[in-house]
Amino acid sequence: MRSFLNPFQRKRATETDEAPSTTRAKRPTKASAKAATESDEPIAKKAKANGAIAPPVQDPAMYSEQRFQTFFQTYADPDDPKVIGTDGIQRLFEEADLSLETAPPFLLAWTCKAAEFGAFRSEEWQKLKELQIDTPQKLKAAMVDLENALYSNIPISDEGDGSSARGSSKPKKAPSTSASGANYNKEPLRKAVANPQKGFKDFYIFCFNLMKKAESRVMEMELASATWSVVLQPKYPIIERLLAFIAEHPSYKAVNKDLWSMTLEFCLALEETSIAEWNEEESWPSLLDEFVAWEKKRIQTDSQGDVTMS
C-alpha cells in the first residue's frame, strides 16, 4: 500500500518550499498560550493595579469574550495577524491534544467554513463564537464530538469532554465537562449532524472544494488520494483497496467533483452488497468500474489459491 504524505504535511511542505529566507517574528510560547486561554485572572490583576474596576475572574469552563479574542490572537501568524497559518494550527493542535493526521483539521475547516486548507481567517474563526469555544480544551471537545457523530454515529451528548476518540493523540477516560473546563455550546453541532449521513455527505463534499485549487475544477490524484485516506477511509475501509488500485494505475491523474461525489455513493452502495455481487450493468465512473473488475479478479485469485492450498 502506497504511503501518502497527509494533506497537512503537504501544505506545510509547500509553504516551506515557497517561503523566502527572512527572519520571522518571535511566536508566542506554549506557556504564554496556556496563560492566555486558561484564565482571566491576569487581566483582573492588571486592572486592579491600574486603579480600574477589575472584571470578575471567570472560571475557564465559562465562556469569555475576552478569552475568545485572545484565543485567535495566540495562534495568529505574526506576519499576518488576521490569519492562523500552518504553524499556528500545529501549535493549537498540539496544545489541544488533537492529531493533524486524522479528520479534525478537516472538521474544524468545515465548522469554520474555511476557504483554504491549513489557514483560518479571523472572520472564519468567528463561527466558533456561536459554539462558545475559547480554549484548546473546548476545541478538542467539539472536534471529538463531531468526529464521533459523523464517523461512529454517536450522538453529541452533554457528558464527556472529548478526551477519548480517533482524533485524540492520547486516548483516556473522559471526565465530565464541568470538571474539565471543556463546556461549549453543543446545539449548533447537534443541528449540523442531526442526520449523520447527510451531515457526513455535506462535510465530504465540502472537502473537495476545500482541497482543490480555487481556479481548477479538479483535484490532482495524489492529493485526492491523501485526502481520501484521512476523510473517507476511516469510515469506509474499502477505500484502502481503492487507493491500492489507484497506486497501481498511475494513468489516473485527477478527480473531478462527479467522481469525488460518486465515490461516497459507491461506499454507501457497498453497505448493501459486496464487490463479489456487484452489478456491473449499473452506471458508475470508469475508475470505479475498473476498480471493481480489478478487485473481483484479486478476490477470485485469492480464493483459488486457498482451494489449492487446502
Side-chain angles (χ1 to χ4, degrees):
M1 177 64 190
R2 186 176 182 179
S3 176
F4 295 104
L5 199 63
N6 78 55
F8 189 81
Q9 290 173 326
R10 287 171 58 92
K11 173 77 174 178
R12 292 211 67 186
T14 301
E15 290 183 346
T16 300
D17 291 341
E18 295 176 353
S21 56
T22 56
T23 303
R24 296 177 64 84
K26 185 177 179 181
R27 300 185 181 278
T29 64
K30 291 184 72 172
S32 66
K34 183 177 181 182
T37 57
E38 280 194 348
S39 175
D40 293 324
E41 188 173 357
I43 299 171
K45 286 183 176 179
K46 184 176 181 180
K48 185 176 180 180
N50 292 336
I53 298 175
V57 176
Q58 293 188 350
D59 185 327
M62 301 295 292
Y63 175 75
S64 160
E65 180 66 26
Q66 172 66 39
R67 194 186 299 117
F68 177 78
Q69 298 302 327
T70 304
F71 187 34
F72 181 86
Q73 295 161 5
T74 297
Y75 302 101
D77 192 323
D79 297 333
D80 188 351
K82 293 185 177 181
V83 176
I84 296 178
T86 53
D87 287 350
I89 293 171
Q90 181 166 335
R91 288 191 295 112
L92 171 58
F93 271 59
E94 286 175 356
E95 289 163 22
D97 188 26
L98 285 168
S99 172
L100 285 165
E101 299 180 0
T102 52
F106 292 91
L107 293 171
L108 181 56
W110 183 52
T111 301
C112 293
K113 299 299 180 282
E116 178 186 354
F117 183 70
F120 294 98
R121 302 194 175 278
S122 57
E123 61 269 23
E124 296 167 346
W125 200 254
Q126 293 299 308
K127 302 286 196 310
L128 298 183
K129 181 182 289 190
E130 184 181 7
L131 300 175
Q132 297 187 350
I133 292 174
D134 56 4
T135 68
Q137 294 76 23
K138 293 176 187 178
L139 179 66
K140 176 183 179 180
M143 292 303 98
V144 171
D145 281 345
L146 192 54
E147 186 176 25
N148 285 340
L150 292 180
Y151 283 86
S152 304
N153 295 328
I154 299 174
I156 297 176
S157 71
D158 291 323
E159 298 301 320
D161 70 341
S163 296
S164 179
R166 293 174 53 252
S168 174
S169 61
K170 298 176 183 178
K172 51 193 174 185
K173 185 177 179 181
S176 67
T177 53
S178 59
S180 66
N183 273 324
Y184 71 96
N185 178 18
K186 301 188 177 189
E187 280 309 306
L189 292 190
R190 285 198 183 101
K191 290 179 181 178
V193 298
N195 181 330
Q197 184 168 310
K198 180 182 181 300
F200 185 85
K201 183 176 181 179
D202 290 347
F203 162 64
Y204 175 74
I205 297 301
F206 169 85
C207 289
F208 177 80
N209 295 315
L210 178 72
M211 299 305 291
K212 74 176 183 64
K213 293 180 180 178
E215 67 278 7
S216 177
R217 299 179 64 180
V218 301
M219 191 192 313
E220 53 110 346
M221 182 57 77
E222 187 165 354
L223 179 57
S225 296
T227 305
W228 271 329
S229 73
V230 173
V231 169
L232 202 56
Q233 183 178 324
K235 189 173 180 72
Y236 300 105
I238 189 63
I239 292 299
E240 183 176 5
R241 298 299 309 149
L242 178 63
L243 295 179
F245 167 78
I246 291 171
E248 287 189 15
H249 297 78
S251 58
Y252 294 109
K253 301 295 185 181
V255 174
N256 61 22
K257 191 169 185 177
D258 179 63
L259 175 56
W260 184 266
S261 301
M262 292 302 289
T263 301
L264 175 57
E265 297 302 319
F266 176 73
C267 292
L268 291 169
L270 281 176
E271 292 186 329
E272 306 297 328
T273 183
S274 66
I275 289 287
E277 299 170 337
W278 188 258
N279 182 359
E280 297 181 5
E281 300 301 317
E282 295 184 5
S283 178
W284 291 89
S286 59
L287 183 149
L288 297 176
D289 280 337
E290 291 175 21
F291 164 65
V292 168
W294 177 84
E295 185 68 356
K296 279 186 174 181
K297 185 176 179 180
R298 182 193 67 82
I299 292 171
Q300 185 178 18
T301 301
D302 288 351
S303 105
Q304 288 174 347
D306 291 342
V307 170
T308 302
M309 286 171 51
S310 61

